[in-house]
Amino acid sequence: MPGRTTPGGPEPAGEDPGLAAPFRPRLARRVTLAVGAVFLTLTVVLVLVMPGLGPGDVVGFLLFGLLVAWFCWRQASVRAVPDADGLLVRNLIFTRRVTWAEIVSVRFGQGRAWVQLDLADGDTLAVMGVQRADGAFAEQEARRMATLVARRSRTARDD
């Protein structure tokens, strides 16, 4: 009996829909969106009130402001989106998709800024969607991710 349909396919039957919600940081998201907006606004104000700027200077300032705003937006958009087949991890620079079978374990020990996945090929994958700066919420999200991995990576042999 199939469960509810999600973007990656049917959700396993009997599973709590909240368990499969996307993982997103809270604090970093708010801070970087605010910083990006303030920086872009101040850049425009600076260009408008600073005397003696040539066209090249104005373009340079605006391009730099847009670059900083893009970086802040990218930081605010990090996430991990689970579905029936695996996990889509969008970090600051790279986006990677891993299947549930590829994930061996979830680590979020002291001193780690974000969750790390140990993969079957011996590699590790940082998941910036769960960040230590979120405190107890991050701990809860790391447990939720570990639960998803445990439930969805089982095989018939469960090796």
Side-chain angles (χ1 to χ4, degrees):
M1 175 168 117
R4 157 177 99 94
T5 301
T6 60
E11 184 177 286
E15 187 170 272
D16 174 17
L19 191 62
F23 297 88
R24 295 178 188 269
R26 287 182 174 176
L27 183 62
R29 187 173 170 84
R30 290 181 193 129
V31 169
T32 56
L33 286 174
V35 167
V38 167
F39 192 88
L40 193 56
T41 301
L42 290 177
T43 300
V44 170
V45 168
L46 181 69
V47 165
L48 293 175
V49 300
M50 196 168 178
L53 290 179
D57 298 325
V58 170
V59 169
F61 271 114
L62 292 177
L63 285 177
F64 182 70
L66 288 172
L67 180 66
V68 170
W70 172 84
F71 179 82
C72 290
W73 169 81
R74 186 66 189 197
Q75 172 63 39
S77 67
V78 299
R79 64 185 175 275
V81 181
D83 61 29
D85 302 320
L87 191 64
L88 178 70
V89 178
R90 179 178 179 164
N91 285 336
L92 189 59
I93 303 296
F94 299 106
T95 300
R96 181 173 175 186
R97 177 155 186 73
V98 292
T99 64
W100 294 116
E102 290 178 81
I103 304 171
V104 175
S105 67
V106 177
R107 291 187 290 147
F108 194 48
Q110 292 298 349
R112 294 190 191 284
W114 40 76
V115 163
Q116 282 191 323
L117 303 177
D118 291 325
L119 304 179
D121 65 1
D123 199 8
T124 60
L125 176 63
V127 180
M128 296 177 72
V130 180
Q131 298 186 4
R132 173 79 51 205
D134 286 331
F137 174 74
E139 294 286 341
Q140 175 185 340
E141 290 292 271
R143 283 191 296 277
R144 182 168 68 94
M145 185 174 291
T147 300
L148 272 173
V149 169
R151 288 185 182 179
R152 294 188 177 183
S153 65
R154 288 190 186 123
T155 63
R157 284 183 26 197
D158 202 17
D159 56 358

